[in-house]
Amino acid sequence: MIEVGNIVTLENEKEYLLLEELDRDDKKYVYAVRTLEDDTPTDEYVIFEVLHVDEDEYLKDVENQELYDELVEEFKDIVADKILNGDFDDMEEVSE
């Protein structure tokens, strides 16, 4: 299921942690970070468009650079709003 907080595995066997989502122009997009086998995040961040085929959901890379840049700005605004609203206050720092 395409849901923030889930790790999804693509057909190319790469795994991504879904960080944030937004709806724009009747389409759903998710911001994600690639993870290693042990679920450690990498520095590879991507934006996917969520496609609905029959009863299934699929992720497709956003390849249009202009759209990608606009979406990056929208995702930044979402995260900034959450910080300002204190949505991250309940999160605890985890150290190993």
Side-chain angles (χ1 to χ4, degrees):
M1 181 199 280
I2 308 300
E3 185 176 305
V4 171
N6 285 350
I7 293 179
V8 297
T9 304
L10 303 184
E11 290 178 356
N12 62 8
E13 300 301 317
K14 290 185 180 180
E15 294 185 337
Y16 290 86
L17 170 61
L18 306 181
L19 301 172
E20 196 57 68
E21 67 182 13
L22 70 83
D23 293 312
R24 178 180 186 207
D25 300 326
D26 296 323
K27 294 181 181 179
K28 181 177 175 181
Y29 297 94
V30 292
Y31 183 60
V33 61
R34 191 169 72 79
T35 60
L36 303 175
E37 289 180 16
D38 63 357
D39 297 339
T40 303
T42 65
D43 62 352
E44 183 181 334
Y45 292 86
V46 295
I47 297 175
F48 296 110
E49 178 182 346
V50 179
L51 302 176
H52 297 275
V53 179
D54 298 323
E55 298 292 320
D56 297 319
E57 292 180 311
Y58 297 91
L59 297 177
K60 177 185 175 202
D61 291 331
V62 173
E63 295 177 355
N64 178 304
Q65 190 61 48
E66 183 178 334
L67 174 61
Y68 190 94
D69 292 343
E70 291 172 9
L71 291 170
V72 165
E73 293 304 316
E74 290 185 43
F75 279 115
K76 284 181 186 178
D77 290 343
I78 290 170
V79 171
D81 287 345
K82 285 185 175 185
I83 291 171
L84 291 174
N85 292 332
D87 292 348
F88 294 122
D89 289 347
D90 294 335
M91 296 179 72
E92 295 181 21
E93 183 176 335
V94 177
S95 60
E96 297 184 14

